[in-house]
């Protein structure tokens, strides 16, 4: 911990003894890791928690004595812990404001007592105790700081022969591990901030040019730019590619591989498509992973470069660092000049932003420039139109999409990002990984007059007094701020910085005006990111504590608009925004008239509505969902759901819908009786409210009790009736999803049949988007588990559209449609239609699908098809290579695939010719190899398959030779009756071979089978008795042979 605090933590530049920790993300991350270690110490290491420090940790605390409860002796100004050392001294002593703590146990309890202020307390403790490890373990430890050997440290600690030496030794190891963890954590945190800019790229290329040329010792043969033109911002890429963050393109000729055409961008370095036939044209499409810099890229691509570069690495690295320091120095000198041009209020926020975003020069997006350094005619590439179209496509942000390109994922992994951070964001997030194009207005563009008028108003905001500022804000609000030109006009002239600075003033009118503008323009995806980059979110979160309700509403609504991407949601949580937003939901508490608590003040309702809107946006991440739950959000949301106006219900239900994806929330939703209100609101006239209620039911109905509650509260009928309105596709997808999950319960299926929902679902199998089809087919798959519904689907003409969907590519849709087709195949007339439509061949072809779930579902669907086909054996043989494909699937690692394929083999093997073919394809050794499994589902179908396969040639003997008999005997110890029946039948078939009987007897099969002879299951009785009979017959024959 001492090394981490010295080398990784960022301290102010004041003299020794007065230095404090800077307010930076890295320091906050280090403090949080230390807090996690200390808070959990009392539970993870109870013995070490009692160890008394050599010297107490002392600091000034802001904690009031009244915060301490049981276990402490509390007076007005002092607190003593009841826990004392061997001399009777308390292990925690507080004399306001000074506190002394002498054990980890008391430190843990103190942090738990501090609650919301524990981060500040941890910071104060670290600042006051610069070398805490020395105070905890003593000067012996301090003398060994330079010794990195843990063993040597422990040896020195234990030399004094202290009875507590073993505990002290363990504590030393724990602190050493914490130190290493903090250092690694710091390195990962710093690595995430790495980003390229033109200066770094140019420096790398110049260094590599210096090291290139002819000869074996050079790192490259040559490296050259593709363009001689350099813009004023240092880029050589055309303006329409600078929008994508691209800096330049270089052609590199290594010694040992072909020529490489490389793109250098702000995100990293990657291989592009090379030069095109057009003069000077480049195929900009990325052809490789993204690497952090040019040197790393070339090391990966060229072994010769790696070898020669390793000899140059030290000198290259040192020169690069010196160059970087020289370039950063003038940037620091320019900063005071910028600050002088800002008002006083602007300076204070600028200083705060400098702390949080000190590396903005490294992380900001490049601004395209049209100012040439070389005055030579530029010939435009012919593919400019295509690039423009790509930019427009890249601007689609609001819909959920793939989680980002593979290249970016690779770059994140190379940067060492924590896996926990990735997992903490749920899959429902619409993270804007598709970086939106940074639209900058060109100097010669034909811009409307509003653009220039707004820019003039921003100048008044920068330099005017309070009155001028308010007037300028009011004038700016009169423009159409929903128009992108107006939004970008504010951003391009530096208006965002000023608006955010105004939020940090004491003038309520200025804050309200600024928030009203920010609320409107924050619908723009790029401006949302700019607001986060400028540190606007922490200020807005602080405004949530304001006594002015208008300010609270505007701040919450702006947060709702900004928190549309992961980084913004994380920022809201880390600055305590979730707890404050949950507090806004408590209308009754905020009401100024307690006597009328049932009739909320309109302003309080609006505050709660805005809070719910912000929580809705924030609830798309798992960590935020947990934070909402821990802050007590569920009871408050449940209360608002009962009595609130419609405008309030939409964000409330939207938040519940997002959170219901987590099991903890589903349990809480049941406990708060929210399902009843969700069902009630299905009858609302508001389509958006109906959609979110149906979606919440869809999320919650994974649980059987919830499905029953939906039925008991009358929710199935409105769901069925909403199927008739197909114009609103989003609502239709939510409704069909709710019906699908509710159909898992048979009682609900009966109700849906009464409400004619099945016929309506069949009608929705055509001309619908995939998200609707997935749910419709899923619902039909559940309904068709009953015979009456299978007949109903066939009579309504549902078989053909279901079979037609077997040719799709959507994984979830294919899983659902195979299940539905398989369910329909259980009815002979439906099976005849499926066979006529070539449905069995389509199912068989899905066994080649790369997704295990699709393979398994297709194999399960084939089982009833083979069972109910007229000439099943001939049908199966007609599929060229089909039997070999099925047998090869036994090599899968997926248990569900294996179980389904075993079930399919059981049905295939009923035909002797097919059994002979799969035997030739090696089914016996593959089945035998699976025998050592603990999965009961696989055990059952494996045993059935072995039983069937025993009926050909010498397969019984072969199963014994491949050691399949002994594991089968162990199946009899399972708790599943189906496994018992299948295993007994397999053992009965195997017992026809004498060697197998001996193996069964040696493994204790007789005793287990004797118990099953008395089973009420007749098939199990007969198989067990038959197996025992064969074993006994062999024993008698052996006995007889011995005496004759």
């Amino acid at each position: 911990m001492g090394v981490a605090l010295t080398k990784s933590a960022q301290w102010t530049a004041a003299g020794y003894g007065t230095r404090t920790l800077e307010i930076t993300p890295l320091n906050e991350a280090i403090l949080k890791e230390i807090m996690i270690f200390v808070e959990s110490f009392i539970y993870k290491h109870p013995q070490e928690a009692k160890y008394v420090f050599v010297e107490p940790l002392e600091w000034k605390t802001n904690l009031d004595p009244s915060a301490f409860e049981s276990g402490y002796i509390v007076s007005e100004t002092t607190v003593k812990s009841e826990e004392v050392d061997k001399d009777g001294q308390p292990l925690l002593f507080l004399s306001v404001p000074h506190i002394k703590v002498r054990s980890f146990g008391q430190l843990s309890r103190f942090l738990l007592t501090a609650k919301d202020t524990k981060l500040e307390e941890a910071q104060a403790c670290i600042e006051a105790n610069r070398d805490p490890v020395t105070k905890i373990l003593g000067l012996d430890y301090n003398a060994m700081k330079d010794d990195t050997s843990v063993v040597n440290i422990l040896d020195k600690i234990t030399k004094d022969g202290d009875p507590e030496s073993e505990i002290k030794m363990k504590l030393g190891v724990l602190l050493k591990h914490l130190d290493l963890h903090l250092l690694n954590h710091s390195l990962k945190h710093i690595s995430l901030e790495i980003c390229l800019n033109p200066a770094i790229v140019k420096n790398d290329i110049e260094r590599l040019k210096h090291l290139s040329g002819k000869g074996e010792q050079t790192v490259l043969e040559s490296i050259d730019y593709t363009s001689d033109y350099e813009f004023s911002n240092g880029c050589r890429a055309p303006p329409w590619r600078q929008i994508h963050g691209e800096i330049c393109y270089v052609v590199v000729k290594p010694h040992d591989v072909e020529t490489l055409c490389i793109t250098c961008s702000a995100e990293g370095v990657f291989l592009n498509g090379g030069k095109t036939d057009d003069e000077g044209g480049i195929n900009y499409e990325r052809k490789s992973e993204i690497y952090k810099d040019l040197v790393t890229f070339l090391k990966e691509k060229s072994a010769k470069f790696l070898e020669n570069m390793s000899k140059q690495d030290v000198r290259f690295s040192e020169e690069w660092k010196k160059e970087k320091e020289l370039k950063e120095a003038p940037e620091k000198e320019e900063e005071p000049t910028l600050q002088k041009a800002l008002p006083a209020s602007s300076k204070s926020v600028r200083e705060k932003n400098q702390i949080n975003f000190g590396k903005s020069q490294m992380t900001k997006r490049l601004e395209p420039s049209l100012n040439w350094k070389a005055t030579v005619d530029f010939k435009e590439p012919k593919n400019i139109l295509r690039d423009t179209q790509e930019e427009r496509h890249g601007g689609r942000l609001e819909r959920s999409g793939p989680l980002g390109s593979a290249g970016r994922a690779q770059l994140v992994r190379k940067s060492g990002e924590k896996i926990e951070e990735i997992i903490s964001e749920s899959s429902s997030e619409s993270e804007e990984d598709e970086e939106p194009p940074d639209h900058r207005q060109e100097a010669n563009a034909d811009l409307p007059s509003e653009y220039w008028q707004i820019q003039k108003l921003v100048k008044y905001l920068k330099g005017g007094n309070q009155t001028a500022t308010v007037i300028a804000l009011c004038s700016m609000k009169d423009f159409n701020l929903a128009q992108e030109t107006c939004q970008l006009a504010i951003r391009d002239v530096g208006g965002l910085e000023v608006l955010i600075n105004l939020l940090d003033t004491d003038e309520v009118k200025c804050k309200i005006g600024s928030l009203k503008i920010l609320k409107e323009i924050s619908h723009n995806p790029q401006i949302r990111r700019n607001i986060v980059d400028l540190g606007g979110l922490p200020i807005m979160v602080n405004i949530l504590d304001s006594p002015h309700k208008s300010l609270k509403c505007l701040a919450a609504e702006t947060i709702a608009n900004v928190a549309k991407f992961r980084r913004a949601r994380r920022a809201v949580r880390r600055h305590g925004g979730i707890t404050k937003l949950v507090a806004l939901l408590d209308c009754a508490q905020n009401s100024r008239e307690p006597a009328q608590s049932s009739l909320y003040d309109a302003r309080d309702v609006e505050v709660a509505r805005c809070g719910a809107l912000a929580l809705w946006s924030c609830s798309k991440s798992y960590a935020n969902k947990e934070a909402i739950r821990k802050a007590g959000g569920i009871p408050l949301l449940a209360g608002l759901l009962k009595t609130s106006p419609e405008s309030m219900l939409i964000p409330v239900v939207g938040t519940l819908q997002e959170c219901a994806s987590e099991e903890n929330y589903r349990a809480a939703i049941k406990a708060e009786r929210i399902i009843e209100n969700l069902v009630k609101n299905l009858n609302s006239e508001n389509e958006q409210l109906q959609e979110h209620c149906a979606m919440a039911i869809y999320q919650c109905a994974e649980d059987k009790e919830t499905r029953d509650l939906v039925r008991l509260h009358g929710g199935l009928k409105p769901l069925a009736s909403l199927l008739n309105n197909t114009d609103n596709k989003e609502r239709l997808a939510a409704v069909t999803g709710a019906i699908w999950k509710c159909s898992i319960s048979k009682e609900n299926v009966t109700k849906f049949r009464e409400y004619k929902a099945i016929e309506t679902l069949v009608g929705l199998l055509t001309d619908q988007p995939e998200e609707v089809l997935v749910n419709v087919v899923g619902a039909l798959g559940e309904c068709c588990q009953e015979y009456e519904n299978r007949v109903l689907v066939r009579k309504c003409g549902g078989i053909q559209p279901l079979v037609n969907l077997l040719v799709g590519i959507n994984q979830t849709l294919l899983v659902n449609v195979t299940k539905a087709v398989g369910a329909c195949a259980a009815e002979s007339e439906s099976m005849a239609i499926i066979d006529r439509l070539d449905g069995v061949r389509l199912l068989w072809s899905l066994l080649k699908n790369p997704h295990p779930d699709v393979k398994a579902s297709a194999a399960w669907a084939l089982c009833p098809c083979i069972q109910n086909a007229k000439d099943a054996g001939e049908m199966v043989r007609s599929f060229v290579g089909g039997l070999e494909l099925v047998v090869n699937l036994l090599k899968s690692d997926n248990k569900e695939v294996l179980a389904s394929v075993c079930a399919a083999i059981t049905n295939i093997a009923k035909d002797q010719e097919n059994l002979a073919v799969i035997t030739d394809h090696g089914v016996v050794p593959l089945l035998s190899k699976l025998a050592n499994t603990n999965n009961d589902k696989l055990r059952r179908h494996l045993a059935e398959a072995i039983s069937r396969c025993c009926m050909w040639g010498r397969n019984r003997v072969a199963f014994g030779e491949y050691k399949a008999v002994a594991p089968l005997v162990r199946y009899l110890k399972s708790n599943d009756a189906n496994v018992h029946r299948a295993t007994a039948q397999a053992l009965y078939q195997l017992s026809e071979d004498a060697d197998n009987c001996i193996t069964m007897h040696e493994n204790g099969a007789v005793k287990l089978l004797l118990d099953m002879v008395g089973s009420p299951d007749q098939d199990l009785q007969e198989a067990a008795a038959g197996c025992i009979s064969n074993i006994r017959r062999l024993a008698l024959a052996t006995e007889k042979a011995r005496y004759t």
Side-chain angles (χ1 to χ4, degrees):
M1 188 162 73
V3 177
L5 291 176
T6 304
K7 295 188 177 181
S8 296
Q10 297 164 337
W11 298 85
T12 59
Y16 184 82
T18 60
R19 295 176 71 189
T20 58
L21 287 169
E22 292 182 354
I23 305 171
T24 64
L26 175 59
N27 282 349
E28 187 176 340
I30 291 174
L31 286 173
K32 285 183 177 178
E33 291 299 316
I34 294 174
M35 283 162 48
I36 291 169
F37 173 83
V38 173
E39 281 183 311
S40 61
F41 199 92
I42 194 171
Y43 307 108
K44 291 183 177 179
H45 313 287
Q47 194 173 4
E48 288 78 15
K50 297 176 183 177
Y51 170 81
V52 180
F53 299 164
V54 175
E55 294 179 43
L57 298 179
E58 302 179 52
W59 71 94
K60 287 185 179 181
T61 179
N62 293 321
L63 207 58
D64 193 82
S66 60
F68 293 84
E69 298 175 354
S70 59
Y72 297 92
I73 303 167
V74 182
S75 68
E76 285 187 347
T77 58
T78 63
V79 176
K80 293 181 181 180
S81 65
E82 293 178 354
E83 188 179 7
V84 296
D85 61 12
K86 58 186 179 182
D87 298 324
Q89 297 297 317
L91 297 184
L92 182 146
F93 178 73
L94 168 62
S95 176
V96 178
H98 298 280
I99 186 169
K100 296 181 181 180
V101 180
R102 300 179 62 198
S103 77
F104 268 112
Q106 288 300 325
L107 266 181
S108 294
R109 293 190 183 96
F110 177 81
L111 284 181
L112 293 172
T113 304
K115 295 180 182 176
D116 294 338
T117 62
K118 58 187 176 184
L119 184 64
E120 291 79 3
E121 294 294 338
Q123 181 176 346
C125 178
I126 295 297
E127 288 172 351
N129 301 275
R130 292 292 302 280
D131 194 357
V133 179
T134 301
K135 290 193 173 185
I136 293 169
L137 295 176
L139 290 173
D140 290 342
Y141 187 91
N142 190 43
M144 295 176 288
K145 275 190 176 178
D146 295 331
D147 189 353
T148 57
S149 170
V150 176
V151 176
N152 292 341
I153 291 172
L154 300 181
D155 286 343
K156 281 200 173 186
I157 287 177
T158 54
K159 274 182 181 178
D160 56 3
D162 188 351
E164 296 179 349
S165 59
E166 187 177 349
I167 295 176
K168 195 172 183 181
M169 178 181 68
K170 290 179 181 177
L171 197 55
V173 173
L174 290 172
L175 292 174
K176 189 71 177 177
H177 287 169
L178 173 62
D179 207 11
L180 291 172
H181 172 72
L182 292 176
L183 288 170
N184 289 330
H185 186 75
S186 302
L187 287 172
K188 289 179 182 179
H189 195 281
I190 292 167
S191 69
L192 297 178
E193 299 177 0
I194 294 173
C195 187
L196 297 181
N197 64 23
I200 292 175
V201 172
K202 185 175 182 179
N203 191 42
D204 281 359
I205 293 171
E206 293 302 319
R207 295 298 181 197
L208 289 175
K209 280 186 176 182
H210 181 68
L211 299 173
S212 300
K214 301 296 182 181
E216 290 296 319
Q217 299 304 314
T218 58
V219 295
L220 297 167
E221 285 187 18
S222 64
I223 176 169
D224 296 294
Y225 293 102
T226 60
S227 171
D228 294 326
Y229 311 114
E230 183 178 343
F231 296 97
S232 59
N233 62 356
C235 294
R236 293 173 186 257
W240 54 89
R241 298 308 300 176
Q242 291 180 37
I243 288 173
H244 296 282
E246 293 177 4
I247 298 170
C248 66
Y249 314 96
V250 289
V251 175
V252 176
K253 182 65 180 79
H255 288 292
D256 53 345
V257 294
E258 61 184 6
T259 303
L260 305 171
C261 192
I262 301 167
T263 297
C264 300
S265 71
E267 295 174 340
V269 176
F270 58 87
L271 188 69
N272 59 40
K275 290 190 174 183
T276 63
D277 294 334
D278 300 328
E279 185 179 346
I282 295 287
N283 179 358
Y284 302 110
E285 185 179 356
R286 181 166 60 80
K287 300 293 186 181
S288 74
E289 299 167 353
I290 302 178
Y291 295 82
K292 66 178 183 179
D293 57 39
L294 192 56
V295 175
T296 304
F297 173 90
L298 291 171
K299 283 182 178 179
E300 187 74 17
K301 297 295 181 183
S302 169
K304 189 71 175 176
F305 178 86
L306 176 63
E307 178 186 346
N308 290 348
M309 196 64 197
S310 62
K311 302 170 185 176
Q312 306 282 350
D313 259 346
V314 176
R315 183 165 61 87
F316 186 88
S317 177
E318 288 174 355
E319 290 178 359
W320 185 87
K321 284 179 183 176
K322 289 177 183 177
E323 186 77 9
K324 183 180 174 185
E325 288 171 2
L326 289 172
K327 285 187 176 293
E328 286 180 349
E331 289 172 12
K332 291 177 182 176
E333 292 170 6
E334 288 171 15
E335 188 64 21
T337 310
L338 291 172
Q339 290 181 357
K340 288 177 184 177
L342 294 171
S345 62
S346 195
K347 283 187 182 179
S348 63
V349 176
R350 173 70 69 180
E351 287 167 1
K352 291 181 182 178
N353 292 339
Q354 189 177 4
I355 292 170
N356 291 305
F357 303 98
K359 297 187 179 181
S360 61
Q361 183 66 28
M362 297 288 287
T363 59
K364 69 178 182 181
R365 292 188 57 78
L366 298 172
E367 297 183 9
S369 171
L370 294 173
N371 300 323
W372 307 93
K373 278 193 177 179
T375 56
V376 184
D377 291 339
F378 179 73
K379 187 172 182 179
E380 293 187 0
K382 293 180 181 178
N383 56 3
I384 183 172
L385 179 61
R386 185 189 67 189
D387 291 338
T388 307
Q389 291 171 345
E390 288 174 1
E391 290 163 16
R392 288 174 183 167
H393 180 71
R396 291 171 57 221
L397 297 163
E398 296 303 319
R399 283 283 169 202
S400 297
L403 290 177
S405 65
R408 181 161 304 174
Q410 179 71 17
L411 186 60
V412 169
R413 285 194 295 272
K414 284 177 179 288
S415 299
E417 182 170 81
K418 291 201 306 182
I419 294 174
E420 293 83 12
E421 195 68 78
I422 298 171
I423 294 172
S424 74
E425 309 300 337
S426 77
S427 60
S428 67
E429 293 199 67
S430 58
E431 165 63 82
E432 296 166 359
D433 283 333
E434 304 87 357
E435 192 73 28
D438 191 356
H439 297 296
R440 297 278 175 179
Q441 302 295 335
E442 296 181 6
N444 59 351
D446 186 14
L447 296 169
S449 60
E450 290 90 342
Y451 184 85
W452 308 112
Q453 291 170 14
I454 286 176
Q455 291 208 344
K456 287 180 182 178
L457 289 173
V458 172
K459 291 177 182 176
Y460 284 117
L461 285 180
K462 286 182 176 180
N465 56 25
Q466 180 185 333
T467 306
T469 300
V470 173
I471 293 172
L473 288 170
C474 294
S475 302
M476 196 179 293
K477 183 69 178 66
D478 290 337
F479 286 93
N480 180 13
L481 295 178
Q483 188 178 342
E484 188 178 27
T485 304
C486 297
Q487 296 168 351
L488 297 181
I490 296 172
R491 196 271 309 264
D492 291 349
V493 78
L496 282 179
E497 292 91 330
V498 180
L499 290 171
I500 291 172
N501 285 340
L502 289 174
L503 298 180
D504 212 28
T505 64
D506 297 328
E507 291 299 324
V508 175
K509 289 180 181 179
C510 292
K511 287 184 178 180
I512 289 175
S514 177
L515 282 171
K516 282 184 176 180
I517 295 168
L518 288 170
K519 184 187 79 171
E520 295 297 328
I521 65 176
S522 58
H523 290 286
N524 183 303
Q526 190 58 49
I527 287 181
R528 286 201 283 264
R529 291 182 175 274
N530 294 143
I531 290 172
V532 175
D533 292 340
L534 292 168
L537 277 177
I539 302 173
M540 293 179 200
V541 167
N542 290 335
I543 291 174
L544 296 175
D545 290 327
S546 170
H548 298 277
K549 293 179 182 178
S550 298
L551 277 176
K552 287 183 180 180
C553 288
L554 289 168
E557 280 193 276
T558 310
I559 290 171
N561 291 340
V562 175
K564 299 288 186 185
F565 62 103
R566 186 179 302 148
R567 188 156 51 91
R569 288 189 281 269
R570 195 158 52 225
V572 173
R573 181 180 74 251
R574 287 180 173 175
H575 290 90
I578 300 297
T579 305
K580 294 178 181 180
L581 288 170
V582 169
L584 298 185
L585 301 179
D586 196 352
C587 296
Q589 185 179 0
N590 290 342
S591 177
R592 292 184 180 178
E593 299 176 15
Q596 299 178 358
S597 58
S598 61
L599 300 173
Y600 299 144
D601 184 90
R603 289 175 300 172
D604 288 321
V605 173
E606 182 62 14
V607 169
R609 185 190 73 81
C610 296
L613 271 174
L615 287 174
W616 188 7
S617 293
C618 293
S619 63
K620 288 181 172 61
S621 94
Y622 170 76
N624 285 357
K625 290 173 188 176
E626 279 298 294
I628 294 170
R629 185 179 64 82
K630 290 177 180 177
I634 301 177
L636 294 174
L637 289 168
L640 293 173
L641 198 57
K642 294 173 185 175
T643 58
S644 299
E646 206 167 71
S647 60
M648 169 79 79
L649 290 174
I650 291 172
V652 168
V653 177
T655 306
L656 288 170
Q657 165 215 317
E658 289 290 347
C659 294
S661 60
E662 305 301 327
E663 190 174 347
N664 288 339
Y665 267 92
R666 292 198 289 271
I669 285 171
K670 279 189 298 181
E672 295 292 338
R673 303 180 66 181
I674 290 174
I675 299 297
E676 180 180 351
N677 293 296
L678 291 175
V679 168
K680 182 179 72 174
N681 287 310
L682 285 174
N683 296 309
S684 166
E685 296 297 321
N686 187 302
E687 292 189 1
Q688 192 180 3
L689 181 56
Q690 290 173 340
E691 175 192 338
H692 293 306
C693 287
M695 199 66 186
I697 291 172
Y698 164 75
Q699 297 279 16
C700 295
E702 296 282 352
D703 176 69
K704 183 182 185 305
E705 189 178 343
T706 301
R707 296 195 291 271
D708 294 340
L709 286 172
V710 174
R711 182 180 71 256
L712 293 173
H713 291 303
L716 301 182
K717 190 169 185 178
L719 284 173
S721 64
L722 287 173
L723 285 175
N724 296 314
N725 188 340
T726 60
D727 295 333
N728 187 332
K729 298 303 181 185
E730 288 80 8
R731 185 184 65 176
L732 184 61
V735 169
T736 50
I739 290 175
W740 171 21
K741 295 303 180 183
C742 289
S743 299
I744 298 172
S745 294
K746 290 184 178 180
E747 300 87 350
N748 291 349
V749 172
T750 305
K751 286 289 184 183
F752 283 132
R753 188 165 63 244
E754 289 177 18
Y755 300 140
K756 307 294 183 184
I758 296 174
E759 294 92 325
T760 311
L761 287 170
V762 171
L764 294 173
L765 286 172
T766 53
D767 301 324
Q768 297 297 335
E770 275 191 348
E771 55 265 28
V772 174
L773 286 173
V774 167
N775 297 335
V776 169
V777 175
L780 288 174
E782 297 297 339
C783 292
C784 287
Q785 301 301 315
E786 297 182 6
Y787 175 79
E788 297 90 337
N789 297 334
R790 291 196 285 268
V791 174
L792 193 57
V793 169
R794 172 172 54 80
K795 288 181 177 179
C796 292
I799 303 298
Q800 182 161 355
L802 282 173
V803 172
N804 292 342
L805 291 173
L806 288 171
V807 297
I809 57 173
N810 183 302
Q811 179 186 350
T812 310
L813 178 57
L814 286 174
V815 170
N816 286 354
V817 77
T818 48
K819 182 177 180 179
V821 171
C824 291
E827 196 243 339
S828 55
E829 292 185 45
S830 297
M831 178 56 217
I833 299 172
I834 292 169
D835 193 13
R836 188 174 69 250
L837 295 170
D838 214 13
V840 181
R841 182 185 61 79
L842 292 173
L843 283 172
W844 213 288
S845 67
L846 288 176
L847 295 177
K848 300 177 184 177
N849 193 286
H851 298 288
D853 292 343
V854 177
K855 287 180 184 175
S857 188
W860 287 122
L862 284 171
C863 295
C865 291
I866 298 169
Q867 288 172 0
N868 295 291
K870 284 188 177 179
D871 190 359
E874 186 60 38
M875 178 188 72
V876 170
R877 284 192 296 278
S878 68
F879 304 129
V880 178
L883 291 173
E884 184 179 4
L885 172 62
V886 170
V887 172
N888 285 335
L889 284 176
L890 291 173
K891 299 173 184 176
S892 172
D893 295 326
N894 187 287
K895 293 289 191 292
E896 188 69 18
V897 171
L898 292 172
S900 61
V901 171
C902 286
I905 288 173
T906 302
N907 288 283
I908 291 168
K910 291 177 182 177
D911 181 89
Q912 287 294 300
E913 289 186 44
N914 290 339
L915 177 54
V917 174
I918 62 175
T919 299
D920 291 342
H921 286 310
V923 73
V924 172
L926 289 172
L927 288 174
S928 302
K929 193 175 179 180
L930 300 175
N932 289 299
T933 180
N934 295 321
N935 185 297
D936 277 344
K937 188 174 185 179
L938 176 56
R939 282 177 166 182
R940 173 193 171 184
H941 295 288
L942 175 60
E944 289 175 351
I946 289 173
S947 176
R948 281 287 174 187
C949 290
C950 282
M951 298 177 186
W952 178 260
R954 62 184 302 278
N955 283 359
R956 290 185 179 88
V957 178
F959 278 121
E961 291 172 352
Y962 285 110
K963 312 295 182 185
V965 179
L968 278 175
V969 174
R970 292 196 290 273
Y971 291 8
L972 297 174
K973 298 177 182 178
S974 168
N975 296 322
D976 191 333
N978 291 320
V979 175
H980 293 166
R981 181 173 58 253
T983 305
Q985 290 170 339
L987 291 175
Y988 171 60
Q989 292 296 332
L990 291 167
S991 65
E992 298 290 336
D993 176 67
D995 290 335
N996 291 343
C997 287
I998 294 169
T999 304
M1000 292 178 201
H1001 190 273
E1002 288 174 348
N1003 285 274
V1006 175
K1007 183 178 179 181
L1008 294 168
L1009 289 168
L1010 280 171
D1011 294 337
M1012 293 176 186
V1013 171
S1015 169
D1017 186 332
Q1018 189 173 348
D1019 292 337
L1020 176 56
Q1021 275 186 10
E1022 291 178 1
C1027 185
I1028 293 171
S1029 173
N1030 287 338
I1031 295 171
R1032 182 59 184 157
R1033 195 175 292 116
L1034 174 65
L1036 290 172
T1038 305
E1039 195 76 14
K1040 185 177 179 181
R1042 182 185 298 171
Y1043 291 109
T1044 58

